Amino acid sequence: MTVHLYLVRHGETEMNRAQRLQGITDGPLTAKGLAAAATLGTILKHVHFDAAYSSDRRRAKQTAKAILDQHPDAPPLQELTGLREYYFGGNEGMKNMALMRKTQRRFGFGAFAKMWLAAPQFRTLVRNFHAMDDTGQAETFDALMTRIDTTFKQIVAANQPEANVLVVAHGVSLSALIYQLAPKQLPVTLLKNTSVSLVDAGATWQVRGVDLTSEKAVLALAAEAGAAAGHPAQ
């Protein structure tokens, strides 16, 4: 049994544009984000989606709906809280650069460099997010990984073999799945807005593409997945 998971990070928001930690803060897409989501929907219009999921945050739902609007036979969108973004606790809304300066002041330049450059970079990054939250509310690395693992296993179990499943969520939460499966394929800067990654989930889970944004790359990935499933994209 293989389920084809099309992972999409939501479009741009005002907090993305302002380079602030967004987390579970709920905000809509910008005009640019809405346009990019609609464009991605056009690119993916020939991929038949058997199921569609998003987190319950507005930016994810808006992105998913813009994609599904291009599909006359679109499945209903199912919202899952398990797909929410990483929770930054008391640092929600903080400027990215402010967090970097805070890390340098507390741990020194060596720790800051390790966070961005040393392997395993993603784990170190998330653990730093938690350590930098003075309120102690931020999600731990282990809690994040357990949540994402559980949520995606539930999604796969709910779908038939060879189903194409759209999953629209967030930069850190989707990166957690990719890191779990293929850490070397995860970009240092994680996933771009409205990027597409593809994971085949079955007896084994395989990452087939990560952080794709060009129409050519996305269409090639979709065609490859469709051919593997026996029903190539038109």
Side-chain angles (χ1 to χ4, degrees), residues 21-63:
L21 302 174
Q22 193 159 203
I24 65 171
T25 303
D26 203 9
L29 300 181
T30 61
K32 177 181 177 181
L34 285 167
T39 297
L40 181 57
T42 300
I43 292 172
L44 292 173
K45 67 181 180 180
H46 295 303
V47 177
H48 170 78
F49 289 118
D50 301 285
Y53 300 84
S54 77
S55 83
D56 63 343
R57 303 293 85 179
R58 276 188 290 174
R59 58 193 185 272
K61 292 189 290 184
Q62 284 181 299
T63 303

Side-chain angles (χ1 to χ4, degrees), residues 6 11-12 18 30 42 120 178 187 207 219 230:
Y6 286 77
E12 181 196 70
T30 61
T42 300
I178 295 169
V207 177
L219 289 176

Side-chain angles (χ1 to χ4, degrees), residues 83-96:
L83 290 173
R84 281 185 179 181
E85 179 59 303
Y86 175 84
Y87 178 45
F88 293 97
N91 290 331
E92 298 247 327
M94 179 182 285
K95 283 271 193 176
N96 296 347

Side-chain angles (χ1 to χ4, degrees), residues 98-196:
L99 179 66
M100 293 178 183
R101 288 192 296 268
K102 185 177 181 180
T103 302
Q104 284 185 275
R105 287 195 303 268
R106 183 170 298 184
F107 296 120
F109 181 77
F112 173 76
K114 180 181 179 182
M115 180 176 74
W116 287 105
L117 301 175
Q121 178 264 344
F122 180 76
R123 183 175 65 189
T124 303
L125 182 67
V126 173
R127 286 180 172 172
N128 184 71
F129 289 154
H130 182 262
M132 288 296 97
D133 175 26
D134 297 329
T135 71
Q137 298 178 71
E139 197 169 13
T140 66
F141 174 78
D142 290 343
L144 170 67
M145 299 305 289
T146 297
R147 170 168 66 88
I148 294 303
D149 181 69
T150 299
T151 301
F152 275 97
K153 284 180 178 176
Q154 290 173 344
I155 290 173
V156 171
N159 286 280
Q160 296 297 315
E162 305 308 333
N164 290 325
V165 177
L166 175 68
V167 180
V168 181
H170 307 269
V172 178
S173 58
L174 292 177
S175 293
L177 178 65
I178 295 169
Y179 175 78
Q180 182 184 48
L181 300 174
K184 292 183 179 179
Q185 294 189 47
L186 183 64
V188 170
T189 54
L190 307 187
L191 306 176
K192 302 180 187 73
N193 289 118
T194 56
S195 64
V196 178

Side-chain angles (χ1 to χ4, degrees), residues 186-214:
L186 183 64
V188 170
T189 54
L190 307 187
L191 306 176
K192 302 180 187 73
N193 289 118
T194 56
S195 64
V196 178
S197 302
L198 180 64
V199 171
D200 281 351
T204 59
W205 291 46
Q206 179 183 2
V207 177
R208 301 177 68 95
V210 175
D211 199 32
L212 304 179
T213 55
S214 75

